[in-house]
Amino acid sequence: MVALAGALVSIQPLLVPILLVAGVPAVLISRRASKAEFAFATDVTDVSRRRSYLKMLLRHRIFAAETRAFDSAPELLRRHDEDDARFLRRLTAHVRLRQRYSLLTTGAAGLALAAALLAIVALVETGRISLADAGAAAIAARLLGGQLGTVFSSIGSLIESGPFLDDLDTFVEAVPADPGPGRAHALHEELRVDDVHFAYQEGDDDALRGVSVRVPAGSVVALVGENGSGKTTLAKVVAGLYAPREGQVRWDDGPISQRDLRASVSVIFQDFVRYQMSPLDNIAISDTALPVDRDRVARPVEEVGLTEKITAMRAGFETVLSMEISAGTDRSGGQWLRLPLARSLYRDAVLCCSTSP
């Protein structure tokens, strides 16, 4: 670009500003396009997520049994097709708008090049430049116009990225700082929940209202109640996963931070994750502070009665538990239920909470 611009300046300095004028509408149009692109992305976020979720329901193995049992595939497909049509309508309107913007930008560049070529003709007719210089100027103007078009396009892409980067900055600034891992505490006397209140969202009814519980060290406590009575919510507050709106969790009659509480408690979830990894990794994932210790993994596996089942698999503890991988396999529901128990025991925490029914 510098060489081409230098060549044009040496022939006739007026030609370079004429070509640069094409950048003004390109930048202005890019600003409008950036707002339109961000508005479109924001507008279709919900429908795009629904489409992705419905696709997952229709194709993923873990949903296959229930989908077949209730014959729900036709209804899921109908909803997916509706969201597909809704998304495509919005996409079509947006693409047409972008086509108009692109046409205007291309037209502005074409007009600038035409103006430069007409200026060259005028300069030849007035005798200000020779015919040979005019030929060289025409070639340089065309090449420089193409290069400037690439530059204006890149500038437009940067301008379009601006709103998305601003949105990302806003999101990142809203994320609280990571305080780092907590420190596990030994429980000598009791864990106590004092007058805890908790709501999932501001303005919602409290899922927990004035709950107080004492768990003496070494004891086993079961929370029994109707569905929706807050048992799982309370277990997650005790595990340090939720912060109470009012009240507090006390450890040996003293306050404890949430991160220390999480480090001191192990949890077995009723909706536990079935990692598409080996049994070794499925269990050791609960404590990644130290390298995987096979002997340490073997102990909880023995305690939950899975040693024989795992060693009988084709690669033993290294067998991948997933039918979606060619060398993988799967386990029965009962065996899968024992894996999170072994995962919890591997963590070797002082207190264990289970959210199983």
Side-chain angles (χ1 to χ4, degrees), residues 5-223:
L8 279 177
V9 168
S10 67
I11 298 171
Q12 177 49 251
L14 180 64
L15 297 176
V16 175
I18 293 176
L19 291 172
L20 288 174
V21 167
V24 176
V27 171
L28 294 176
I29 291 171
S30 293
R31 291 177 64 86
R32 295 179 65 87
S34 70
K35 294 178 181 179
E37 192 70 31
F38 185 75
F40 169 73
T42 304
D43 184 46
V44 300
T45 295
D46 287 343
V47 68
S48 295
R49 287 177 178 170
R50 281 200 306 271
R51 288 169 72 232
S52 298
Y53 177 66
L54 289 167
K55 281 182 172 67
M56 181 177 66
L57 290 179
L58 287 163
R59 73 184 184 212
H60 205 289
R61 184 173 180 269
I62 62 174
F63 304 111
E66 188 158 330
T67 301
R68 290 178 180 174
F70 297 131
D71 196 22
S72 56
E75 172 62 16
L76 294 175
L77 281 168
R78 184 191 66 78
R79 296 189 180 200
H80 177 270
D81 290 345
E82 284 183 356
D83 282 336
D84 242 6
R86 190 177 295 113
F87 175 79
L88 288 174
R89 283 195 299 270
R90 297 176 185 177
L91 179 62
T92 300
H94 178 65
V95 168
R96 286 173 179 167
L97 177 64
R98 292 305 304 266
Q99 285 174 336
R100 290 195 291 271
Y101 286 154
S102 179
L103 183 61
L104 289 172
T105 303
T106 304
L111 288 174
L113 180 58
L117 294 176
L118 287 173
I120 293 171
V121 172
L123 291 170
V124 171
E125 289 181 347
T126 58
R128 297 176 62 181
I129 62 174
S130 66
L131 192 59
D133 286 341
I139 295 172
R142 183 175 63 80
L143 294 175
L144 182 59
Q147 294 296 325
L148 287 172
T150 302
V151 170
F152 296 149
S153 176
S154 299
I155 292 173
S157 297
L158 289 172
I159 292 173
E160 286 185 29
S161 300
F164 292 93
L165 292 172
D166 289 340
D167 191 49
L168 176 62
D169 286 340
T170 302
F171 174 77
V172 171
E173 288 171 3
V175 177
D178 182 9
R183 181 173 61 88
H185 293 257
L187 186 66
H188 301 290
E189 298 176 9
E190 65 176 8
L191 176 139
R192 196 165 77 239
V193 178
D194 284 341
D195 195 27
V196 161
H197 295 251
F198 176 82
Y200 282 92
Q201 279 190 318
E202 190 72 29
D204 285 356
D205 291 337
D206 285 347
L208 300 175
R209 186 181 298 115
V211 176
S212 297
V213 177
R214 291 177 62 250
V215 181
S219 65
V220 176
V221 176
L223 301 176

Side-chain angles (χ1 to χ4, degrees), residues 128-352:
R128 297 176 62 181
I129 62 174
S130 66
L131 192 59
D133 286 341
I139 295 172
R142 183 175 63 80
L143 294 175
L144 182 59
Q147 294 296 325
L148 287 172
T150 302
V151 170
F152 296 149
S153 176
S154 299
I155 292 173
S157 297
L158 289 172
I159 292 173
E160 286 185 29
S161 300
F164 292 93
L165 292 172
D166 289 340
D167 191 49
L168 176 62
D169 286 340
T170 302
F171 174 77
V172 171
E173 288 171 3
V175 177
D178 182 9
R183 181 173 61 88
H185 293 257
L187 186 66
H188 301 290
E189 298 176 9
E190 65 176 8
L191 176 139
R192 196 165 77 239
V193 178
D194 284 341
D195 195 27
V196 161
H197 295 251
F198 176 82
Y200 282 92
Q201 279 190 318
E202 190 72 29
D204 285 356
D205 291 337
D206 285 347
L208 300 175
R209 186 181 298 115
V211 176
S212 297
V213 177
R214 291 177 62 250
V215 181
S219 65
V220 176
V221 176
L223 301 176
V224 182
E226 296 180 352
N227 288 339
S229 60
K231 303 183 299 299
T232 297
T233 303
L234 178 58
K236 291 182 177 180
V237 168
V238 170
L241 299 176
Y242 293 158
R245 182 171 57 81
E246 295 179 28
Q248 62 179 336
V249 178
R250 300 180 66 83
W251 191 276
D252 282 339
D253 204 32
I256 185 171
S257 68
Q258 263 194 285
R259 60 195 183 101
D260 285 356
L261 188 57
R262 285 197 297 271
S264 305
V265 177
S266 187
V267 184
I268 306 171
F269 295 99
Q270 62 186 23
D271 52 349
F272 63 90
V273 178
R274 301 188 181 197
Y275 293 101
Q276 293 187 6
M277 303 177 182
S278 66
L280 184 74
D281 293 329
N282 257 280
I283 295 167
I285 196 70
S286 64
D287 188 357
T288 57
L290 297 172
V292 177
D293 185 339
R294 280 180 167 275
D295 293 335
R296 183 181 168 193
V297 169
R299 287 194 294 272
V301 169
E302 181 66 31
E303 289 182 54
V304 301
L306 278 179
T307 302
E308 184 178 344
K309 298 293 184 182
I310 292 176
T311 54
M313 290 191 290
R314 65 183 71 174
F317 278 82
E318 299 293 344
T319 307
V320 177
L321 299 179
S322 171
M323 293 296 288
E324 297 176 15
I325 298 173
S326 59
T329 186
D330 202 357
R331 297 289 90 187
S332 68
Q335 290 177 34
W336 265 113
L337 286 171
R338 297 185 190 188
L339 271 175
L341 178 57
R343 186 184 300 162
S344 176
L345 293 172
Y346 179 84
R347 187 171 171 82
D348 197 24
V350 175
L351 187 70
C352 181

